[in-house]
């Protein structure tokens, strides 16, 4: 958190030297990449930590759009084509699950899942978990997310098509609908 805000503060000092596209590239590589690093592990953490990560993302969006500290973010995240933090977490878990389902993930990730073949496409089975830590694991939450997505998304022929459809789907979901997606 401190490191991200320190980076944002330093970048704001040189903002006038860069174009908007250059600033977006720098912020993506120095701030947003830190938010995305292992963000699949953030599933199930306290709302307070999710909000702190969202504040970092909002600050990065304000930096790119040229807004000041107390200005409203508004549609800046949407204009930058950035998903909110909670949706980014769901996106990462769904992508890993899709890759495992289609044999594109490493074997140790594919082995985490139980498959059932219904029709011509395999589905992921949700294992029984008794602990809250177990219910935060990829082998538990991955199947719940991937199986709750519409079939036009999960039946995508390529990973790029899957990512495109999933991002569009998540953009159109409200935060409460995103939370229902994982229940």
């Amino acid at each position: 958190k401190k490191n991200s805000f320190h980076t944002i503060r330093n970048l704001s000092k040189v903002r006038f030297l860069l174009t908007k596209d250059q600033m977006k590239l720098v912020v993506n590589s120095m701030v947003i990449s830190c938010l995305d690093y292992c963000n699949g592990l953030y599933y199930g953490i306290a709302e307070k930590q999710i909000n702190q990560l969202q504040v970092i993302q909002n600050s990065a969006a304000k930096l790119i759009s040229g807004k000041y500290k107390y200005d409203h973010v508004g549609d800046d995240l949407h204009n930058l084509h950035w998903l909110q933090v909670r949706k980014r977490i769901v996106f990462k878990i769904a992508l890993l699950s899709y890759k495992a389902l289609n044999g594109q993930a490493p074997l140790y990730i594919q082995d985490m899942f139980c498959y059932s073949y219904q029709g011509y496409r395999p589905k992921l089975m949700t294992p029984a978990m008794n602990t809250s830590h177990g219910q935060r694991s990829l082998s538990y939450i991955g199947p719940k997310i991937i199986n709750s997505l519409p079939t036009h998304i999960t039946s995508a022929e390529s990973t790029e098509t899957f990512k495109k459809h999933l991002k569009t789907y998540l953009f159109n979901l409200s935060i409460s609908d995103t939370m229902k997606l994982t229940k």
Side-chain angles (χ1 to χ4, degrees), residues 43 84 86-88 90 145 169-170 172-183:
Y43 179 81
Q84 294 174 338
R86 184 173 305 285
K87 293 179 181 182
R88 290 173 97 86
V90 169
I145 290 175
Y169 177 73
L170 290 174
N172 295 327
L173 279 183
S174 66
I175 289 296
S176 61
D177 288 340
T178 305
M179 294 180 77
K180 289 177 191 173
L181 187 68
T182 60
K183 298 281 184 212

Side-chain angles (χ1 to χ4, degrees), residues 89-106:
I89 294 167
V90 169
F91 181 87
K92 178 70 72 116
I93 293 170
L95 182 60
L96 279 172
S97 302
Y98 174 83
K99 285 182 174 183
L101 189 62
N102 291 297
Q104 298 169 345

Side-chain angles (χ1 to χ4, degrees), residues 128-179:
M129 295 284 177
N130 297 328
T131 64
S132 62
H133 290 295
Q135 291 176 352
R136 289 177 53 190
S137 68
L138 179 64
S139 61
Y140 180 80
I141 197 62
K144 287 182 78 109
I145 290 175
I146 202 80
N147 292 337
S148 64
L149 294 173
T151 48
H152 79 276
I153 296 174
T154 56
S155 63
E157 295 298 321
S158 70
T159 305
E160 290 304 314
T161 306
F162 174 79
K163 291 190 317 189
K164 179 182 161 198
H165 290 310
L166 179 61
K167 192 169 184 179
T168 302
Y169 177 73
L170 290 174
F171 257 122
N172 295 327
L173 279 183
S174 66
I175 289 296
S176 61
D177 288 340
T178 305
M179 294 180 77

